[in-house]
């Protein structure tokens, strides 16, 4: 419940970045995906980590799973490197 509240407080762009992180996208890939610069993605990522109380990307992935952004499981190699 608390996780859902925190998730709902994120901006649409922050949710998009969180989802991308949780699905194994690299900052550079996220920047290309959403049409912003790398520094902008880094800023969003840091803002998201702070808001959700994550200290590392693994925490962010766990949070994303808890709010239903991603199902638990191992990313396959082709998923990680998809263009």
């Amino acid at each position: 419940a608390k996780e859902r509240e925190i998730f709902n407080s994120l901006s649409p762009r922050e949710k998009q970045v969180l989802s991308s992180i949780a699905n194994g996208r690299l900052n550079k890939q996220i920047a290309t995906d959403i049409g912003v610069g790398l520094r902008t993605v880094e800023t969003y990522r840091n803002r998201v980590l702070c808001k959700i109380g994550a200290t590392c990307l693994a925490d962010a992935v766990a949070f994303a799973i808890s709010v239903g952004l991603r199902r638990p499981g191992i990313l396959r190699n082709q998923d990680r490197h998809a263009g």
Side-chain angles (χ1 to χ4, degrees):
K2 184 179 181 202
E3 287 91 359
R4 180 55 60 182
E5 217 172 283
I6 293 168
F7 178 74
N8 289 338
S9 76
L10 299 177
S11 73
R13 184 67 91 189
E14 289 167 343
K15 290 174 184 174
Q16 186 177 24
V17 169
L18 175 61
S19 177
S20 296
I21 291 167
N23 286 291
R25 302 293 283 167
L26 302 173
N27 288 347
K28 187 175 181 180
Q29 293 170 318
I30 298 169
T32 300
D33 292 346
I34 65 177
V36 298
L38 183 58
R39 279 295 291 141
T40 302
V41 171
E42 291 168 353
T43 299
Y44 280 123
R45 187 186 77 171
N46 291 335
R47 196 180 300 163
V48 167
L49 293 179
C50 184
K51 285 184 177 183
I52 68 175
T55 57
C56 63
L57 292 182
D59 291 344
V61 172
F63 179 88
I65 290 168
S66 77
V67 296
L69 273 184
R70 174 173 163 65
R71 288 201 309 260
I74 298 171
L75 287 174
R76 296 184 313 266
N77 197 39
Q78 66 265 29
D79 293 339
R80 258 186 266 141
H81 298 293

